[in-house]
Amino acid sequence: MNIGTYHIETPIALAPMAGITDKPFRRLCRAYGAGWAVGEMLTSDPSLRHTKKSQYRSDFSAENGIIAVQILGNDPAVMAEAARYNIAQGAQVIDINMGCPAKKVCNVAAGSALMQNEKLVARILEAVVGASTVPVTLKTRLGWADEHKNLPAIAKIAEESGIAALAVHGRTRTQMYKGEAEYGLIAEVKSRLHIPVWVNGDITSPQKAAAVQAQTGADGVMIGRGAQGQPWLFRDIKHYLAHKTLPPPLSLAECSRTILAHLQAMHTFYGSADGLRIARKHLGWYLSPMPEGEAVRRAINQINDAAEQYDAVAAYLDKLPQYTDQWASSYR
């Protein structure tokens, strides 16, 4: 799969997720086989570039892969300037957010709300592509509402505007993340386009990844929530797409080492106070499916010292072989 001048040897992507796909998680997912990873969305508003949140999200130093920066906004000129600014900071790809369904984003006519205004979409895409010296990609949905699935029109605008690749989540904005993702319209759009297409939504297993890619003809699969608590999913998908079988499961010890390394990386990246707080959701995803994991998660969430948090997780993982010999998996 090629995006501009970049060749993606493994077309399995980590989807951008605000508050989740930070540098520690991107690095971890790439280590397990993700061939593409887009950073958390960054507002195009220049007055917010130097907030603590934006500083964390725009830290791509020592990134172990192509630096793809996602920008969010609704003004063509401001979005174009945001693209120029991020390219100057080292972005190798600019991704435009037209898929976020969050109310605080849609209420300011950004994210998936843009799908309601196709003329504005065209102006934004043309402005960003025109301002960029790197490939520009687009992340979107089937449409704003179930009765208005205008993905085909948006995809046509994207290709005509010079967008280098399109990623589509198989839901409308009004669906948020409810119900099941649908892929028929994505298949229809893929058959008409000459640019690469990522398919996204409800891909939570290697078997589902293979089935959805076959159904849609998509050039690659993009994994979002499915990677939460199981970054090794990328390893398993890569093997399954190549061999049509699952690889042997990782050992309990290797999964435990991964979790502790991820926890330490969050503490280092954010500092002890922020790192402890941000780590809680990841620890919940890791531990809740495991024996006594939910009770341990609740107890760990009461800890307010990073070193103590690490020690508590390590102590639980040390005892885990008493209860099971492998990590929980919904697809094995």
Side-chain angles (χ1 to χ4, degrees), residues 4-309:
T5 58
Y6 297 112
H7 177 67
I8 300 96
E9 187 68 32
T10 304
I12 307 169
L14 172 64
M17 294 178 284
I20 299 169
T21 53
D22 55 14
K23 185 164 68 173
F25 195 58
R26 292 194 304 272
R27 292 182 64 87
L28 177 58
C29 291
R30 282 193 176 108
Y32 271 113
W36 190 260
V38 182
E40 303 169 84
M41 64 183 182
L42 286 167
T43 177
S44 59
D45 184 347
S47 70
L48 299 176
R49 282 177 187 160
H50 302 294
T51 64
K52 184 167 70 170
K53 179 185 288 187
S54 291
Q55 290 296 297
Y56 283 139
R57 291 186 177 186
S58 59
D59 186 341
F60 293 90
S61 59
E63 188 83 4
N64 60 334
I66 295 164
I67 300 172
V69 176
Q70 187 181 77
I71 59 175
L72 173 79
N74 61 15
D75 183 284
V78 175
M79 289 282 279
E81 174 53 33
R84 283 189 289 264
Y85 172 81
N86 282 287
I87 291 167
Q89 300 303 306
Q92 296 171 296
V93 173
I94 295 294
D95 186 57
I96 298 173
N97 183 314
M98 204 177 296
C100 181
K103 287 183 179 180
K104 66 180 180 180
V105 170
C106 291
N107 285 346
V108 294
S112 55
L114 289 172
M115 298 190 77
Q116 299 174 100
N117 189 336
E118 293 171 13
K119 290 183 179 179
L120 178 58
V121 168
R123 289 171 52 213
I124 289 174
L125 300 191
E126 290 165 5
V128 174
V129 170
S132 299
T133 55
V134 302
V136 178
T137 59
L138 175 66
K139 178 77 159 58
T140 191
R141 287 185 166 231
L142 301 180
W144 171 259
D146 293 351
E147 62 275 13
H148 187 59
K149 295 178 180 177
N150 62 334
L151 173 64
I154 296 294
K156 185 173 186 291
I157 292 168
E159 186 167 56
E160 291 175 349
S161 299
I163 291 298
L166 178 69
V168 185
H169 182 99
R171 288 182 174 86
T172 61
R173 188 273 166 176
T174 52
Q175 284 181 277
M176 300 292 284
Y177 295 101
K178 298 176 181 177
E180 295 183 359
E182 300 174 7
Y183 310 107
L185 194 58
I186 301 175
E188 178 185 327
V189 164
K190 169 56 190 171
S191 70
R192 298 176 183 175
L193 293 179
H194 297 94
I195 58 174
V197 173
W198 297 100
V199 60
N200 173 232
D202 290 355
I203 300 176
T204 56
S205 72
Q207 298 91 328
K208 184 72 174 286
V212 170
Q213 188 167 33
Q215 177 185 346
T216 60
D219 300 274
V221 293
M222 182 170 280
I223 316 301
R225 293 173 296 160
Q228 295 172 359
Q230 51 179 14
W232 40 81
L233 175 62
F234 293 98
R235 162 194 180 265
D236 291 354
I237 290 176
K238 182 179 179 179
H239 188 280
Y240 193 90
L241 291 179
H243 305 287
K244 307 305 180 189
T245 60
L246 291 172
L250 293 177
S251 69
L252 200 63
E254 183 166 354
C255 292
S256 295
R257 286 194 296 271
T258 293
I259 293 166
L260 290 176
H262 186 195
L263 179 56
Q264 184 60 63
M266 287 185 282
H267 289 170
T268 300
F269 182 68
Y270 291 106
S272 296
D274 287 340
L276 174 143
R277 176 180 53 81
I278 290 166
R280 287 171 176 160
K281 58 192 168 192
H282 288 278
L283 292 174
W285 293 322
Y286 283 126
L287 303 184
S288 291
M290 301 303 290
E292 300 188 7
E294 181 58 27
V296 171
R297 180 196 67 81
R298 289 195 298 267
I300 289 173
N301 279 356
Q302 304 304 310
I303 296 172
N304 291 306
D305 176 81
E308 187 180 343
Q309 181 188 56

